[in-house]
Amino acid sequence: MENAVVPSPVPPGRSPFARLSARGWALLALGVAALTAIVVATWLWSAHPTYRVLFTNLSDRDGGAIIAQLAQMNVPYRTADGGTILVPHDKVHEARLKLAAQGLPKGSVVGFEILETPKFGLTQFQEQVNYQRALEGELARSVQSLAPVAAARVHLALPKQTGFLREKQPPTASVLVQLHPGRTLDRAQVAGIVHLVSSSVPELQPKHVSVIDQHGNLLAAERSQAAGLDAAQLDYVARIEADTIKRIEEILTPVVGRGNVRAQVTADVDFSQVENVAETYGPNQSPERAAVRSQSTQESSTPGPATPQGVPGALSNQPPVPPTAPINGTAAPLNPNSPGTVGGNSMRREAVTNFEVDKTVRHVRQASGQIRRLTAAVVVNYRIGSDGKPVPLSKEELASLTALAREAMGFNEQRGDSLNVVNAQFSMPELAPVEPLPLWQRPEVIALAKEAGKALLLLLLALIVVFGVVRPALRQLTGRAQPASALPAAPPDSAPPALPQPQTTSDNADAISPLEQVRQLAKNDPAAVANVVKAWVGPDTKGT
């Protein structure tokens, strides 16, 4: 029998969906559901926004308040571990501004807002505790404003006020900072935290403030003078050495080429603090040039008898000597024979003159951090000759490089500085050539391939559903003719009787499949079908 297109009969007046069998209905429903799922998945995937972090490390109280506000603002959100809330990337800044206007997040740190709502019946002790909590919270917020600090806590030890000065204790403070991963605090920032806390608490000295990080490392504490150089002094020495090395390399690099000079410098710095006080007196000047400081004169007279007194002779008849006040020594006595005894009365006169004395007071305090000595070692690589081989420098070239290095480092022979410039060939390790990253290993290509793979996977699923499920169901629904399979050929020695053709009309000829036609034929004429089957299997059974 040859292949033929067998039309399927369709009863008149029936709906096209009546042509579908139970299997066809199942395939059609499965196909429609799969296509709907693929379309919805594609739409969700294309419309899915990229989420960014809104806040992190939130407490449970702040997290609940923020989520409630986001729900009122109709902003989608997601939560993650560590108190993290994520929102679409295009709404991050808007949500932060709106939440900040409402005072969120408040944070677990309590500041001076605790004093805004006083409660009735608080004792003096409770008021003091609230004030201390508020002060600690405000200091913690100030420390958290630093870029490397993620969180901070401040503990204040404020002793009770007492009227006895001997029993008075100074306040102390400790600061615990939690740094962001990979961030550190330099010495200047630590000193800033110490002075911030000490300036905010009365009578708190910077040496009584301790700063530690989340790993327990002590960042700031009272420094002992007997412990040697502190970190600031070590940084100062390292900065001097680094600046000197930089000056030497920058002056020699244009001459010998980049990478052909290496320098190391050792600085001996004196951090001792010396104060000198000198008081010097100048020699006495002549009376004409001397400055009078003070001058006093005293006169006294004593009445006596009328009889003449005194030493007889010519000396008593001479005029008195003018008084003088020498700078050194005592004043000359008055002439007793002078006419101070007139009329039996004795007279006494004293004159004292004080002159200024030249005095020089010098107070000298030497600055700390003076350089005692600099020691520098410089190595210069061989130059490349015309034949491409390394050639050592000549003595003149080496001397000129040494002179440049001396001037660059500020060489001081009186200070005892030393400089040694050596010309040697550098041993450069051979580095393996860096191969470019293959195209299929580049991150941007991998990300593009993932996105394209998702789209292709959805397209492939859609094609499988359309051509494997929906298309056969639609063919059966539209009544498209299906090719009938050829019946098995009869043996050549016997011609089996042909199957009787069922009575079909033109309306349902294309709706019934060949298998359904065979079923109807077997139902209507089972004897004819049995004869055909018997004819098919007869020769084989005889052969056996």
Side-chain angles (χ1 to χ4, degrees), residues 25 40-41 65 79 109 141 190 208 241 243 255 317 335 349 389 420 446 473 479 496 532 543:
W25 274 107
V40 173
T79 58
V109 179
R141 290 177 180 175
V190 174
H208 293 157
E241 296 175 351
D243 292 343
V255 180
N317 296 327
N335 188 2
R349 178 184 298 174
K389 295 183 179 179
N420 189 9
I446 294 176
V532 173

Side-chain angles (χ1 to χ4, degrees), residues 244-278:
T244 308
I245 293 173
K246 183 179 179 181
R247 290 196 299 267
I248 294 175
E249 291 183 351
E250 285 183 351
I251 197 64
L252 297 182
T253 296
V255 180
V256 300
R258 184 175 298 276
N260 293 324
V261 58
R262 297 289 187 273
Q264 290 294 330
V265 176
T266 301
D268 185 8
V269 183
D270 184 13
F271 290 101
S272 59
Q273 298 180 357
V274 180
E275 295 184 4
N276 295 326
V277 179

